[in-house]
Amino acid sequence: MNAPVAGFVDVGAVVDVPLRGSRVVSSPRGDIAIFKAADGVVFALRDACPHKQGPLSQGIVHGHSVTCPLHNWIISLETGEAQGADHGCTGVIRLRIENGRILLDVSALAVAA
Amino acid sequence: MSEKLVVIGNGMAAGRVLDHLFDMDSSRYAVTLFGAEPRVNYNRIMLSPVLSGEKDFADIITHDEEWYEAHKIDLRRGRTIVSIDRAAKVVIDDSGAKTAYDKLLVATGSMPFIIPVPGKDLKGVVSYRDLDDVNAMLAAAEKGGSAVVIGGGLLGLEAAAGLSMRGMKVTVIHLTSTLMERQLDAAAGYLLQKAMEQRGIEVVTKANTKAIIGEEGSVSAVELEDGRILPADLVVMAVGIRPNATLAKEAGLSVNRGVVVDDFMRTDDADVFAIGECVEHRGQCYGLVAPLFEMAKVVAARLTDDATPTYEGSTLSTKLKVTGVDLFSAGDFAEGKDREEIVLRDAARGVYKRLILRDDRLIGAVMYGDTADSAWFFDLLKTGADISEMRDVLIFGQSFAGGAKADPMSAVAALPDGAEICGCNGVCKGTIVEAIATKQLTDVNGVRAHTKASASCGTCTGLVEQLLAFTLGDGFQKAEVEPICGCTDLGHADVRRLIIAKELKTVPAVMQELEWKTSCGCAKCRPALNYYLLCDWPEEYEDDGQSRYINERVHANIQRDGTYSVVPRMWGGITSAKELRAIADVTEKFNIPTVKVTGGQRIDLLGVKKEDLPAVWADLNQAGMVSGHAYAKGLRTVKTCVGTDWCRFGTQDSTGLGVKIERFMWGSWTPHKLKMAVSGCPRNCSESTCKDIGVICTDAGYDILFGGAAGLHLRETELLCKVTTEDACIEHIAALTQLYREQGFYLERIYKWARRVGVETIRAQVVDDTERREALFQRFVISQRTAQIDPWAERVGGKDSHEFTPIARLEIMEAAQ
Ligand code: SRM
Ligand SMILES: Cc1cc2nc3c(=O)[nH]c(=O)nc-3n(C[C@H](O)[C@H](O)[C@H](O)COP(=O)(O)OP(=O)(O)OC[C@H]3O[C@@H](n4cnc5c(N)ncnc54)[C@H](O)[C@@H]3O)c2cc1C
Ligand code: SF4
Ligand code: FES
């Protein structure tokens, strides 16, 4: 039986992600970057820039965007889309915050991968 | 026979329910009211004015003795309920007495959260919740001395302000970097901190309490995680609250964070209601009074069998009750793609306003310094009114936006002649307009020269430009200053000048005082500001890692595949068997794919996995090697040649001098990278003539060169001066570097800076003016005191460990077999 593991998985505490920073969740299907914006909102994207797969987790977070460390594309943390003149989109991973913990939607990840 | 209503908790929520209940039906219930506090009901939110001395307790009583008598309420003050027996429908108090109920209302409020540090139970450690706490604080304040308030939220700041007005020396310690971070954004938090500091209250942010220290059972100091000790005769813990729901939980009622209630404020027992801070409604717990006032109407209705009103949650707004501080925040002020923000900063008046819009509706507002329009904004927010018609002028408030349509430019036009434009120099509109006309001025510089307007802090420059445009029409050409980025109209030069002139020492301070147009900057301006602050306030400013490019944050160079390269320092290009052996060992141990000799006379280990970095560094540190800063906008390499040690042409000890320079100058941050070289003779084998700073040794001494380049542009160096000793050589080089650090724009190499300010002016300051040179040299030495810490060793020691380890590893992604 092929039953994909469904639902949300606890990947850590919100306080463990630095403000205006990010952390990586490693997975066999590629890394996921968890971001925390200056206002405390948490986001998750695939850790690969739509340009040349740069690790977005290593970028500078400003507003609800991150600047890719390799060639400075600016990616929206909300939609995963490149901003301005650049085009491309990286996958957004759904998440929930419960009792200060971050829960990632891994089923979506498995399908999308 | 009237029904029996028992109320647990005689606080704000209970009082309000009873007010409504008696209004609706004064005879239906016989009420028994249990209050753990030994007094009648009072307005808890006015405790702060009692603490500060602005009010007496008598002023804040909401329900006096007569009221309880008039409504025949059996008030059991000082009595705590210890359990509820729902099967028997009785409550049991701390004397063991049982009281029967038909309907029960739980209104137990919340409990101050006490952080579990050693010393929390010492005498002199208090929380801030009720009159007893205030009395304890007042008793301590009588004796004077110092108070430490743990927690820079609403309660903590009110306590701090009160204690300070009572004559104590107060320090507030706060966990995050800005005060009230849940209600305010960084800019408003900065202004608030400034206002507290102006009251003589010291604010220590990013401070974690490690322990409370006592002497003979009484508190004497607070120890922070970083080792600092703050003396304290009184410690107020105001770090948060949690719903007081234990009683309900033990009675078997459904409790999450708070007692769970439905839209009628009913618990899962039809005869038990709950209200106030102890409840959780639709997943939300509240810590303010507005929601409980709304809840109270619903409870009262329900108790009189009126099922029409329901409670559907509240939109919250916060005001801080510290006299002289105007602060308001409401709604949701997070940023987002579907949201737009409008920011207004008036540095002269200390005003900051930020509105968040979504789909032409106001969803959040933060205001500091001028909250006159808060009610109007809060109303727009709650009603969700469409604001598209007045969007452009919305931020100017009701009188402006609510009235006839107007655009910001005509707002300047409409100002009376007497309106002050430049606060620093007291220049009004009429004076400027007249000067423009009579002196035929065409630009801001002209206005500055003739009226002084915009000549000091410069924040009115925008207004002056608008006046020029308004007076000259199309004849006005705005001066072309390239702004740092889209977040500001100011260029690097103005920002650097103003940071010093206005003594701005944090990123939020710069953004507020210089009227940044975004709330937290971008990837262009933040690294620049971080550098400027680091350079200008070396011993005070704390580096902001999140404003640095990844390489400088993790102290290695990111590669195209996401791995990193590691370049240890090889002082002056000199290495040893021990170092080479360590490099070889580390290469094998961590399977590092490439080892390369760089163009900078040292060795690069390429393709290191990020997670391995700290372990790689630990091994290199073991062999005595430190970071080569191959990633830094800072000192990179000092290349040398073999000089008098070996070379048949060598005139001076070029290797030794290069090593000395590198050891003295490593760790310094500069506007862009800084590369040097020392050659032993004019044959110039270390390529000194194309470096940022180069030295060529001669029989007569040392030629100091600067402003070379061999990257995107090719440029030969200029001669700075000739000196005769190594010491003089080092002093001139350090002074030159310091001048570049203080004047250079972020990402401007030395050759570009020299072209901008002129080689002559640099020589005049570094060579001709001895005093200036010595001062520059001293400032460099001072900033090196805190700069020469090996970043690798720090991280091997655990700093920023979150950077190097994934927060989680998922292994469950594959479908089950
Ligand atoms: C490793 C090295 C090449 C090599 O294999 O030898 C190198 C590698 C890089 N150089 Fe370089 N440069 C290296 C010596 C040089 C030199 C020669 C020198 O230092 O004597 C130059 C010309 C001299 C100069 O700087 O003017 C040089 C001029 C540049 C430039 C152009 C700078 C300019 O303003 O014109 C860049 C781009 C930049 O900085 O924006 C650059 C940028 C880079 C970066 C950092 C590209 C980047 O932004 O990621 C490369 C990655 C480094 C890494 O380790 O991952 N590199 N680069 C050399 C490291 C030297 C060291 O030990 O630290
Ligand atoms: C110093 C201070 C300033 C504040 N300022 C503001 C402000 O500016 N704006 C704002 O909106 N809010 C403010 N608040 C919050 C506001 O006071 C609370 O939201 C409000 O008081 C909550 O009402 P409540 O009835 O739920 O709880 P409370 O008013 O705390 O009442 C609960 C009562 O129940 C009693 N009790 C608890 N357990 C038992 C038991 N088992 N048996 C008998 N009695 C019990 C307690 O002793 C307490 O008297 C402030 C709070 C404080 C402490
Ligand atoms: S020359 Fe270009 S490709 Fe080579 S290391 Fe320097 S920046 Fe990279
Ligand atoms: S890989 Fe992200 S910008 Fe090139």
Side-chain angles (χ1 to χ4, degrees), chain B residues 249-266:
Chain B
K249 187 167 192 167
E250 284 167 3
L253 295 168
S254 151
V255 170
N256 287 336
R257 266 195 304 152
V259 187
V260 177
V261 292
D262 62 13
D263 289 358
F264 297 114
M265 306 311 295
R266 275 183 318 202

Side-chain angles (χ1 to χ4, degrees), chain A:
Chain A
M1 259 268 291
N2 269 357
V5 180
F8 287 84
V9 169
D10 186 330
V11 293
V14 174
V15 292
D16 291 336
V17 186
L19 213 55
R20 296 179 293 143
S22 77
R23 296 293 301 269
V24 172
V25 173
S26 67
S27 95
R29 299 283 184 93
D31 288 354
I32 299 154
I34 313 265
F35 298 92
K36 185 153 87 187
D39 55 26
V41 183
V42 178
F43 300 92
L45 296 182
R46 284 175 174 282
D47 196 11
C49 176
H51 179 217
K52 292 190 174 173
Q53 313 303 302
L56 296 172
S57 57
Q58 317 292 293
I60 290 183
V61 177
H62 46 98
H64 281 187
S65 313
V66 59
T67 295
C68 177
L70 294 197
H71 318 97
N72 297 329
W73 278 29
I74 298 177
I75 310 297
S76 160
L77 296 178
E78 293 171 354
T79 61
E81 268 169 58
Q83 309 287 288
D86 301 318
H87 288 291
C89 189
T90 190
V92 176
I93 312 293
R94 286 204 307 153
L95 60 76
R96 269 206 326 251
I97 307 291
E98 262 170 34
N99 298 322
R101 308 289 301 178
I102 303 166
L103 309 182
L104 276 194
D105 186 354
V106 292
S107 55
L109 186 69
V111 175

Side-chain angles (χ1 to χ4, degrees), chain B residues 338-375:
Chain B
D338 58 337
R339 295 144 187 231
E340 292 173 88
E341 61 173 4
I342 308 178
V343 176
L344 174 97
R345 307 192 194 233
D346 181 339
R349 288 197 302 139
V351 170
Y352 169 80
K353 296 185 191 180
R354 178 159 165 244
L355 301 177
I356 315 295
L357 308 175
R358 187 175 56 207
D359 301 334
D360 288 329
R361 276 159 233 282
L362 184 64
I363 60 166
V366 183
M367 261 170 262
Y368 187 97
D370 173 6
T371 53
D373 285 310
S374 59

